[in-house]
Amino acid sequence: SNMADAFDGSSLFWNPALAARLEGSTVMLSHTSYVAGISLDYFSITQKIGKFAVGGYMQYLNSGEIKETTEFQWYGTGRTFRTLHLATGISASQQVTELFSYGITFKYLLEKIEEINVQSGAVDFGFSYFVGETGLRFAVGVNNFSPVDVRPSGTTTKKDLDGEKEVAAEQTVSLPTIFHIGAAYDVLETEISSLVVTAQITNPSDNAEQFNIGAEYGFMEQFYFRSGYEFGNKERKIPSFGGGIKFPFKNKMLKADYAYTVYERLGGIHRIAVSFAL
């Protein structure tokens, strides 16, 4: 997805300003199967009320079981652990004019590694602007904004030359604030075919800047084919690709999507999503 073109339930993750352009109620479920048994699940619901939209989402990442290793036991201590990451938020957005909308999300974040917990609050906000009827639109957004650092709580055990001892996290951590700017352009739009191209710059506070480009071809407003490429990531050597289908189902509009991304050394990532427009 692109933060200027995510006109579905993923808007609450990418840019809450886009939720104000949805109609009625929208429910979305998605699952991402990462490498090494890591999985990411996402659920969102939005409701349009006049020129406003409200919504909520939950995102859950599970690392799966990880073998514990030490400096002395490279192949494992016999113990395993897992990390859990949860984000949940509520959003509100307004379509101020036919061309301009804005949105904000207040969210709660939880990370847990063994018995160490990190809990914090954060804010996402974004804007969306259509350049008249040219088919060009822009978006700007900030994710994970928080003016304060957070301190982990809890203790865990660590084995060294002196045996096992309790260890507590001693330092505060900053949230990885992310700045996005994106654009999308309708190259072609007829009753049979449509073509959208997108571009996005992502600047995280804790990583290198990335530049993404993508394209989506639609046929009969029912079948969609997509591809994209991420610059600035050495693991990405070939474009990602995917597709989707949209069709009416019991007075609802059902949309199903799939995407596949390859990382050179880590392997492939599968994404599936289902969205209902009520």
Side-chain angles (χ1 to χ4, degrees):
S1 291
N2 175 283
M3 67 163 313
D5 200 52
F7 297 112
D8 55 25
S10 68
S11 60
L12 300 190
F13 173 81
W14 287 108
N15 181 4
L18 300 182
R21 296 188 173 275
L22 302 177
E23 295 296 334
S25 302
T26 301
V27 176
M28 183 176 188
L29 293 160
S30 73
H31 175 78
T32 302
S33 176
Y34 281 105
V35 297
I38 301 171
S39 64
L40 176 68
D41 293 289
Y42 175 85
F43 167 79
S44 72
I45 182 168
T46 63
Q47 175 65 54
K48 185 72 175 293
I49 306 171
K51 294 293 184 181
F52 294 87
V54 294
Y57 81 94
M58 179 177 291
Q59 191 174 28
Y60 176 72
L61 186 143
N62 186 349
S63 70
E65 292 293 335
I66 303 172
K67 285 185 178 180
E68 181 188 62
T69 62
T70 69
E71 297 94 330
F72 316 104
Q73 295 170 289
W74 298 350
Y75 300 102
T77 64
R79 296 199 311 175
T80 62
F81 68 97
R82 65 174 61 225
T83 70
L84 306 176
H85 307 259
L86 173 71
T88 182
I90 55 174
S91 301
S93 57
Q94 180 185 11
Q95 186 173 342
V96 181
T97 70
E98 290 295 320
L99 304 179
F100 177 74
S101 63
Y102 69 93
I104 187 168
T105 299
F106 298 95
K107 60 187 183 181
Y108 164 76
L109 306 172
L110 168 67
E111 292 189 347
K112 183 176 180 180
I113 302 176
E114 292 189 334
E115 301 306 317
I116 303 294
N117 295 308
V118 181
Q119 302 181 68
S120 62
V123 176
D124 297 347
F125 53 89
F127 305 90
S128 171
Y129 179 69
F130 281 59
V131 185
E133 297 182 359
T134 63
L136 179 65
R137 48 201 177 272
F138 293 99
V140 177
V142 175
N143 288 25
N144 298 332
F145 174 76
S146 176
V148 297
D149 293 342
V150 294
R151 180 178 292 276
S153 62
T155 62
T156 186
T157 57
K158 181 179 180 182
K159 186 180 292 186
D160 59 16
L161 292 173
D162 299 322
E164 283 194 356
K165 61 180 181 180
E166 289 283 325
V167 178
E170 297 179 354
Q171 62 183 17
T172 60
V173 294
S174 299
L175 293 183
T177 303
I178 304 172
F179 173 76
H180 303 277
I181 182 168
Y185 179 62
D186 295 321
V187 178
L188 175 67
E189 192 168 13
T190 70
E191 292 183 358
I192 297 176
S193 298
S194 64
L195 178 63
V196 180
V197 295
T198 64
Q200 179 171 307
I201 296 173
T202 300
N203 192 339
S205 61
D206 62 344
N207 208 330
E209 189 174 73
Q210 297 172 352
F211 176 59
N212 298 65
I213 58 172
E216 177 191 80
Y217 172 75
F219 179 70
M220 301 294 292
E221 296 185 354
Q222 187 173 7
F223 303 99
Y224 297 87
F225 307 92
R226 307 180 184 97
S227 184
Y229 188 76
E230 181 180 332
F231 297 91
N233 188 330
K234 294 181 180 180
E235 286 292 313
R236 293 289 298 276
K237 298 298 183 182
I238 64 174
S240 59
F241 60 88
I245 183 171
K246 184 164 60 175
F247 56 91
F249 178 75
K250 292 186 177 180
N251 298 321
K252 304 176 181 66
M253 185 58 72
L254 175 64
K255 180 182 174 187
D257 296 295
Y258 169 79
Y260 181 67
T261 301
V262 178
Y263 285 86
E264 184 180 21
R265 288 173 293 183
L266 297 176
I269 295 174
H270 303 270
R271 296 180 176 91
I272 57 173
V274 178
S275 180
F276 298 91
L278 309 180

